[in-house]
């Protein structure tokens, strides 16, 4: 065997004259594509072309996968459309060279093969994947506010037809090898051991590459495309608006205009993407990606290896937290006052496991990991005890007094309290440093964020362990101080209360919700309040009102006292049929939508400024991350503080002042604005 070694690639030629090009990015655990990688790949392809081998197989030496996509840090360095275009054309040229090789080329895929990875594989004549659910192919670019630009759509569209390829590109979803084979994206799906033999066979046999069926081809026909393009746009429109997320719409246009010409599509891909990459949406979504990485890195303490979790309180939260921990592989015991109180949680757990795990053997294994334990025997072996009982400080304290002597000396005690300061609870403990808050959000299986609440006595190591545990159950930890409402509820509540005030003033609920969703919120505040439960909203609002001297709208109190608690009771602001709101029309009133949006958003921003001033979180980035992952705050705006900076602190401050005059003291700008406007060198008064 002959060997040539480069930094990121290694080429070997075997005795059958097949070149095996190994990609093993030198400076990272994952293969990603950047300018340097492209340069080296290009050099290799030129050498290999000159060598005229029997075939070329491209494979990854990384255990986690083939290629995860483009190096996203490169996106933040692109400063102009021209620079972006050069980078994209460079990648396209390299993949075109690969595509044009006269001998069989095979991408040998295991693990992640996403974005640029799938684009590279599409420039090969064949794709072989390992047969396991962890092997994923896809073009997820729309999730970052962009679309494929290295020929991903130009090559996928003729291979699969318009319908299948646009479905993959517009949804950004990834698929395993078997699904890829069914769709025509993958030529062979084989277990680990015969992977190389499969690639070798394709080189030797050189079968004709996959051709789409006639009906798949038909979807690319020039008469069909305008019609399908409208259908695609309508489907995309249900999820995102063109103003906020232009990339899927741009992709539909490119396909509609150029589907049958690879050259034209390549040019259009690069031109369009160069504009998108440098646009605000993509830059903000890339920011969100890095915020997520930042939260993940907070839980990186690898030395912490808990095994046993004991959850006390099998209600709405505790039951679901226990199920989630068991789903993520922990041995969990679940305690409540009686077996009858645990039973509903076990049923919900089964439904969760069935939905997530599908295979009966896996479901049974997960059920075996979750033990009902009404006597609380599990306390003694638990590495972490999570308390999620009634929101009553004395009840919680007396439980702590009872369990602490039975806990392992190094076990953590985590409370899911949503409002009680940790200091009020830790007084019952002889080791108060072991108490930390793990504030989960409802529904646990859907909400990514967990606030890790640090009381004055919480030790740094317990806090670090709580964050590491949060990562182990695949949640994002956000360290916050033990102050009323912590971060997310405190910022969300004024926004929800303003929605209630607006509704009480007579603004139709649908219009209030529309103002918020048009701003970019995933759900309007009225529907959100109904979904959370109006009793829970009222409870949190009361706690916050105590500390922050805020007023609670009478309308909310009345709804709760009348038993209209939102979705769970069938009626709140909206009426619910089968769990879905029946939304009345908006009526004929002439409402000022801009003012409605401003009132909602400014109260949220004002509270964000207040939290930052009080150091509830360490910095602006963590605040933005918390609101994006805890509430879905318009990701394309990059978070509340990023939005505030983009619009300008002075402008927003003045809007608050005007609203204060018009609508009352609740719009009084927080003192924290002074620092923000000063930092811009501006006057605040
Ligand atoms: P829940 O009322 O649904 O469940 C509480 C459970 O604790 C009940 O099943 C009760 O029998 C059990 N319990 C009470 N005292 C107990 C004791 N001494 N020993 C064993 N079990 C006991 O309450 P939920 O909504 O699950 O709330 C629990 C905690 O989570 C509270 O601290 C709440 O503030 C917090 N939280 C609630 C959220 C929500 O949306 N419901 C969101 C985030 C936090």
């Amino acid at each position: 065997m002959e060997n040539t070694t480069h930094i990121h690639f290694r080429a070997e030629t075997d005795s059958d004259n097949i070149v095996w090009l190994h990609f093993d990015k030198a400076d990272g655990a994952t293969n990603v594509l950047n300018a340097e990688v492209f340069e080296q790949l290009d050099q290799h392809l030129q050498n290999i072309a000159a060598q005229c081998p029997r075939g070329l197989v491209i494979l990854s030496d990384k255990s986690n996968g083939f290629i995860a996509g483009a190096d996203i840090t490169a996106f933040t360095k692109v400063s102009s459309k021209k620079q972006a275009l050069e980078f994209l054309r460079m990648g396209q040229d390299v993949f075109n060279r690969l595509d044009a090789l006269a001998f069989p080329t095979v991408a040998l895929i295991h693990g992640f093969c996403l974005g640029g990875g799938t684009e590279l594989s599409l420039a090969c004549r064949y794709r072989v994947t390992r047969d396991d659910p962890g092997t994923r192919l896809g073009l997820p670019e729309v999730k970052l506010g962009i679309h494929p630009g290295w020929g991903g759509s130009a090559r996928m569209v003729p291979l699969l037809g318009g319908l299948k390829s646009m479905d993959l590109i517009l949804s950004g979803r990834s698929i395993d090898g078997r699904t890829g084979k069914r769709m025509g994206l993958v030529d062979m799906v084989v277990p680990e051991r015969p992977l190389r033999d499969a690639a070798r066979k394709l080189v030797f046999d050189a079968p004709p590459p996959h051709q789409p069926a006639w009906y798949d081809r038909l979807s690319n026909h020039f008469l069909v495309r305008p019609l399908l393009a409208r259908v695609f746009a309508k489907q995309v429109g249900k999820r995102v608006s063109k103003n906020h997320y232009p990339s899927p719409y741009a992709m539909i246009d490119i396909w509609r205009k150029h589907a049958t010409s690879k050259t034209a599509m390549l040019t259009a891909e690069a031109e369009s993407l160069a504009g998108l990459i440098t646009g605000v949406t993509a830059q903000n979504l890339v920011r969100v990606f890095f915020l997520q990485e930042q939260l993940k890195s907070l839980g990186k303490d690898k030395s912490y290896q808990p095994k046993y979790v004991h959850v006390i309180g099998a209600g709405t939260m505790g039951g679901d937290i226990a199920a989630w921990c068991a789903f993520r592989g922990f041995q969990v015991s679940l305690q409540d006052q009686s077996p009858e109180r645990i039973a509903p949680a076990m049923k919900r757990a089964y439904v969760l496991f069935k939905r997530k795990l599908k295979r009966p053997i896996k479901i049974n294994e997960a059920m075996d990991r979750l033990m009902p334990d009404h006597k609380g025997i599990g306390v003694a072996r638990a590495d972490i005890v999570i308390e999620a009982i009634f929101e009553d400080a004395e009840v919680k304290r007396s439980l702590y007094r009872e369990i602490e002597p039975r806990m392992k000396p190094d076990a953590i005690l985590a409370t899911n309290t949503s409002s009680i300061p940790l200091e009020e609870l830790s007084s019952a403990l002889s080791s108060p440093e072991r108490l930390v808050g793990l504030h989960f959000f409802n529904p646990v299986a859907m909400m990514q964020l967990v606030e890790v609440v640090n009381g004055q006595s919480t030790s740094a190591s317990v806090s670090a362990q709580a964050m590491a545990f949060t990562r182990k159950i695949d949640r994002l930890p956000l360290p916050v101080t033990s102050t009323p409402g912590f971060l997310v509820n405190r910022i969300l509540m004024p926004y929800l209360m303003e929605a209630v005030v607006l509704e009480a003033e007579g603004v139709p609920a649908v219009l209030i919700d529309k103002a918020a969703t048009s701003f970019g919120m995933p759900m309007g505040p009225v529907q959100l309040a109904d979904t959370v439960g109006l009793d829970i909203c009222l409870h949190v609002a009361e706690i916050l009102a105590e500390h922050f001297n805020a007023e609670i709208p009478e309308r909310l109190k009345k709804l709760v006292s009348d038993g209209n608690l939102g979705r769970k009771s069938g009626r709140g602001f909206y009426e619910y049929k089968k769990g879905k709101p029946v939304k009345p029309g908006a009526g004929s009133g002439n409402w000022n939508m801009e003012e409605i949006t401003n009132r909602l958003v400014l109260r949220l921003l004002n509270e964000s400024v207040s939290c930052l001033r009080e150091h509830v979180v360490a910095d602006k980035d963590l605040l933005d991350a918390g609101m994006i992952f805890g509430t879905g705050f318009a990701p394309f705006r990059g978070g509340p503080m990023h939005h505030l900076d983009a619009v300008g602190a002075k402008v927003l401050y003045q809007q608050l002042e005007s609203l204060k005059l018009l609508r009352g003291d609740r719009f009084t700008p927080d003192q924290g604005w002074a620092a923000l406007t000063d930092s811009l060198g501006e006057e605040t008064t």
Side-chain angles (χ1 to χ4, degrees):
M1 264 197 196
E2 223 181 86
N3 284 327
T4 6
T5 310
H6 270 262
I7 304 179
H8 302 303
F9 291 92
R10 180 168 56 88
E12 325 180 309
T13 308
D14 69 11
S15 52
D16 291 320
N17 199 23
I18 298 174
V19 177
W20 299 78
L21 185 60
H22 299 251
F23 183 13
D24 187 4
K25 191 154 184 300
D27 42 4
T30 304
N31 281 339
V32 287
L33 302 170
N34 61 19
E36 190 186 79
V37 167
F38 273 121
E39 273 163 28
Q40 292 188 13
L41 177 60
D42 198 37
Q43 194 57 54
H44 273 287
L45 293 176
Q46 289 185 39
N47 296 344
I48 294 165
Q51 188 184 332
C52 250
R54 179 160 208 152
L56 165 67
V57 181
I58 302 181
L59 67 167
S60 154
D61 282 357
K62 302 284 189 206
S63 59
N64 62 0
F66 185 65
I67 301 171
D71 176 357
I72 294 178
T73 48
F75 289 10
T76 54
K77 294 179 189 132
V78 179
S79 56
S80 68
K81 188 172 171 184
K82 185 166 163 279
Q83 198 193 357
L85 207 53
E86 275 166 19
F87 180 50
L88 292 168
R89 290 207 174 118
M90 176 198 192
Q92 286 197 352
D93 288 347
V94 179
F95 287 172
N96 285 347
R97 189 188 296 283
L98 172 61
D99 195 353
L101 290 175
F103 40 83
T105 50
V106 184
L108 193 58
I109 299 163
H110 72 275
F112 287 116
C113 172
L114 299 173
T118 291
E119 295 186 285
L120 181 146
S121 79
L122 281 161
C124 294
R125 202 184 293 175
Y126 311 107
R127 283 149 298 280
V128 177
T129 69
R130 194 170 68 188
D131 186 12
D132 66 352
T135 292
R136 311 296 300 175
L137 295 94
L139 295 170
E141 285 86 347
V142 286
K143 295 184 178 167
L144 285 177
I146 54 174
H147 58 59
W150 288 320
S153 63
R155 291 192 173 88
M156 190 182 267
V157 162
L159 187 72
L160 306 186
L163 206 58
K164 286 179 182 160
S165 28
M166 292 305 275
D167 168 46
L168 280 182
I169 296 169
L170 297 178
S171 67
R173 77 190 163 93
S174 65
I175 53 173
D176 61 12
R178 286 186 190 199
T179 314
K181 175 92 173 58
R182 271 200 303 280
M183 293 176 87
L185 179 61
V186 171
D187 298 275
M188 288 176 92
V189 188
V190 282
E192 170 85 43
R193 277 166 62 112
L195 260 179
R196 283 170 169 247
D197 290 341
R200 189 174 277 117
K201 185 168 165 39
L202 280 170
V203 169
F204 274 104
D205 295 354
H210 171 79
Q211 288 292 323
W214 65 267
Y215 44 85
D216 286 329
R217 279 202 306 274
L218 185 67
S219 61
N220 280 335
H221 192 280
F222 78 100
L223 286 175
V224 179
R225 271 184 271 149
L227 198 82
L228 269 183
R230 277 203 292 279
V231 176
F232 293 149
K234 208 169 160 197
Q235 281 169 347
V236 170
K238 284 183 195 157
R239 283 185 281 122
V240 291
S241 82
K242 193 171 180 173
N243 286 345
H244 299 158
Y245 296 93
S247 72
Y249 296 92
M251 189 71 250
I252 296 170
D253 266 358
I254 294 172
W255 170 77
R256 182 176 52 79
K257 289 186 192 145
H258 309 293
T260 47
S261 162
K262 187 158 94 185
T263 322
M265 206 147 166
L266 281 169
T267 309
E269 262 189 18
E271 287 276 343
S272 159
L273 179 50
L276 290 169
I277 282 190
T278 45
V280 177
T281 297
Q283 292 290 326
N284 283 344
L285 291 179
V286 166
R287 170 182 159 74
V288 174
F289 173 84
F290 286 115
L291 289 177
Q292 182 169 15
E293 293 299 299
Q294 193 184 343
L295 293 188
K296 284 182 182 170
S297 73
L298 291 170
K300 65 176 184 290
D301 182 354
K302 290 216 167 66
S303 61
Y304 184 55
Q305 293 295 344
K307 267 199 193 137
Y308 299 106
V309 179
H310 182 76
V311 181
I312 312 183
T316 311
M317 296 303 291
D320 288 4
I321 293 168
W324 186 257
C325 293
F327 166 63
R328 296 300 310 174
F330 282 92
Q331 292 290 334
V332 184
S333 39
L334 177 57
Q335 176 183 348
D336 206 300
Q337 291 159 329
S338 67
E340 294 73 38
R341 287 189 183 244
I342 304 176
M346 298 301 287
K347 276 195 197 137
R348 289 205 307 278
Y350 182 77
V351 174
L352 173 80
F353 300 155
K354 207 170 154 198
R355 180 161 54 85
K356 291 267 182 195
L357 298 168
K358 297 190 172 72
R359 290 169 53 198
I361 179 161
K362 294 280 170 206
I363 300 170
N364 288 342
E365 281 169 9
M367 284 309 283
D368 286 348
R369 287 195 294 270
L370 179 60
M371 293 285 289
D373 174 22
H374 72 279
K375 292 191 176 140
I377 295 165
V379 169
R381 73 163 189 183
D383 300 302
I384 174 158
V385 174
I386 302 177
E387 170 272 306
I389 65 169
F390 301 138
E391 189 71 342
D392 180 316
E394 190 40 50
V395 178
K396 286 188 197 276
R397 274 194 297 263
S398 74
L399 175 79
Y400 294 0
R401 281 187 209 103
E402 190 265 308
I403 60 170
E404 191 185 22
R406 292 194 289 126
M407 283 172 64
K408 291 202 289 200
D410 57 351
I412 296 180
L413 176 58
T415 173
N416 187 43
T417 178
S418 45
S419 60
I420 306 172
L422 261 56
E423 294 68 33
E424 276 187 37
L425 301 175
S426 58
S427 57
L429 293 167
S430 56
S431 304
E433 70 282 357
R434 64 165 32 166
L435 182 71
V436 66
L438 276 184
H439 185 227
F440 287 82
F441 294 86
N442 188 13
V444 175
M446 267 178 66
M447 303 300 292
Q448 273 186 294
L449 193 80
V450 175
E451 287 177 319
V452 177
V453 187
N454 296 290
Q456 271 161 22
S457 46
T458 309
S459 77
S461 64
V462 166
S463 178
Q465 288 175 342
M467 291 199 276
F469 171 74
T470 307
R471 280 307 299 143
K472 284 183 196 301
I473 54 169
D474 196 28
R475 288 292 171 255
L476 298 171
L478 178 78
V480 296
T481 55
S482 171
T483 39
F486 312 130
L487 183 84
V488 172
N489 283 345
R490 172 164 165 194
I491 295 181
L492 200 60
M493 211 39 71
Y495 159 83
L496 293 185
M497 289 307 115
E498 195 57 30
V500 178
V501 174
L502 281 160
E503 201 262 358
E505 283 172 13
V507 183
V510 276
L511 283 189
I512 302 168
D513 280 350
K514 186 153 187 287
T517 51
S518 303
F519 176 82
M521 299 303 196
M523 181 187 274
V526 179
Q527 192 176 342
L528 180 63
D530 268 358
T531 308
V532 170
L534 299 185
D535 51 340
I536 291 182
C537 285
L538 179 61
H539 178 68
V540 178
E542 278 168 349
I543 288 157
L544 290 173
E546 241 174 66
H547 291 87
F548 302 109
N549 193 23
E551 262 181 51
I552 301 173
E554 287 304 318
R555 169 84 170 126
L556 180 64
K557 293 183 194 162
K558 175 91 175 65
L559 280 166
V560 174
S561 63
D562 290 349
N564 295 320
L565 307 182
R567 193 176 64 183
K568 61 186 168 190
S569 73
R571 186 186 282 271
F573 289 102
Y574 294 115
E575 204 187 317
Y576 288 80
K577 291 237 160 79
K578 291 190 183 150
K580 294 245 174 335
V582 187
K583 295 193 176 177
S588 55
N590 193 13
W591 301 101
N592 180 343
M593 291 301 279
E594 195 185 333
E595 199 206 327
I596 296 173
T597 311
N598 278 350
R599 282 174 61 177
L600 294 170
V601 174
L602 280 165
R603 288 208 59 193
L604 186 151
L605 295 180
N606 201 24
E607 202 60 43
S608 301
V609 170
S610 172
C611 285
L612 211 58
R613 175 176 56 77
E614 289 182 9
H615 306 289
V616 176
V617 279
D619 57 33
K620 287 181 180 181
D621 282 353
L622 287 180
L623 189 144
D624 283 347
M627 292 310 287
I628 291 168
F629 296 109
T631 70
F633 179 95
F636 68 94
R637 295 191 192 273
M641 293 311 295
H642 195 70
H643 172 66
L644 188 153
D645 287 340
V647 179
K650 189 174 180 191
V651 175
L652 293 164
Y653 178 87
Q654 280 164 352
Q655 287 178 358
L656 269 173
E657 286 282 21
S658 318
L659 277 170
K660 181 185 167 193
L661 289 176
L662 213 64
R663 301 282 168 191
D665 284 349
R666 63 185 186 282
F667 287 98
T668 306
D670 183 83
Q671 300 155 29
W673 287 88
L676 296 171
T677 45
D678 281 354
S679 69
L680 298 172
E682 295 157 344
E683 293 289 317
T684 56
T685 48

